[in-house]
Amino acid sequence: MAWAAVDAGLHGAPLEIVTSVAVPGGWGLGAMLIDTDTDYLRLEGERVVAAASRVARAAAK
């Protein structure tokens, strides 16, 4: 993350930090995620993005 932040700064480009979820194999169109599953995935994604943002801000200084 740090190198990406520095590189974006050098090129005057924005740094976009995103999150995604890899769905385990065997889950198809018929699979159902319950609310606690999706809540966990969302919260964990937010935690990872927040940590990456802190690293990027520190590297960009």
Side-chain angles (χ1 to χ4, degrees):
M1 180 52 58
W3 69 264
V6 171
D7 191 61
L10 289 172
H11 292 94
L15 177 63
E16 295 184 21
I17 303 171
V18 299
T19 184
S20 66
V21 176
V23 178
W27 288 28
L29 295 174
M32 300 285 290
L33 292 174
I34 60 175
D35 286 341
T36 54
D37 293 334
T38 55
D39 287 346
Y40 168 78
L41 294 172
R42 180 185 52 79
L43 291 171
E44 185 64 8
E46 289 174 359
R47 183 193 67 75
V48 169
V49 168
S53 295
R54 286 191 297 274
V55 170
R57 282 191 192 96
K61 290 183 178 180

